[in-house]
Amino acid sequence: MDDLTEIYVYHTDKESSRAVDARHLRGNLYQIVTEKPEDEQWEFATGDKVRCMRRRFDDGTVEMMAYAKVEDDA
């Protein structure tokens, strides 16, 4: 079984961030594996490969946040 990690994606209809499971590919590249509920709007979709960066949230925690979609093997 693949090791999954938690990253955050922008939840566009709630104007907030949402934790999702992702597979770490290399460096700051991850692939989202959480299935998106039909009633939610995310900036990135299930299966997308995304670049992440560390982001400090309002509560002081620092998490990996998806910021750009990456085409295959980029």
Side-chain angles (χ1 to χ4, degrees):
M1 179 179 229
D2 293 320
D3 288 330
L4 299 178
T5 190
E6 189 175 79
I7 66 169
Y8 284 76
V9 297
Y10 188 65
H11 195 277
T12 58
D13 54 331
K14 293 189 179 180
E15 297 184 6
S16 63
S17 299
R18 183 197 199 289
V20 298
D21 289 328
R23 182 175 299 109
H24 181 239
L25 302 174
R26 66 182 177 278
N28 68 347
L29 184 63
Y30 294 80
Q31 184 172 28
I32 299 170
V33 298
T34 297
E35 290 293 325
K36 184 185 80 60
E38 288 184 26
D39 62 340
E40 293 185 10
Q41 299 298 316
W42 298 355
E43 182 177 12
F44 305 106
T46 303
D48 282 353
K49 293 178 183 175
V50 294
R51 294 240 180 253
C52 293
M53 64 181 174
R54 294 192 186 282
R55 176 178 173 223
R56 182 174 306 276
F57 287 88
D58 291 340
D59 66 0
T61 61
V62 177
E63 305 289 350
M64 294 301 282
M65 180 79 185
Y67 69 89
K69 183 176 175 181
V70 176
E71 298 306 321
D72 287 334
D73 298 322

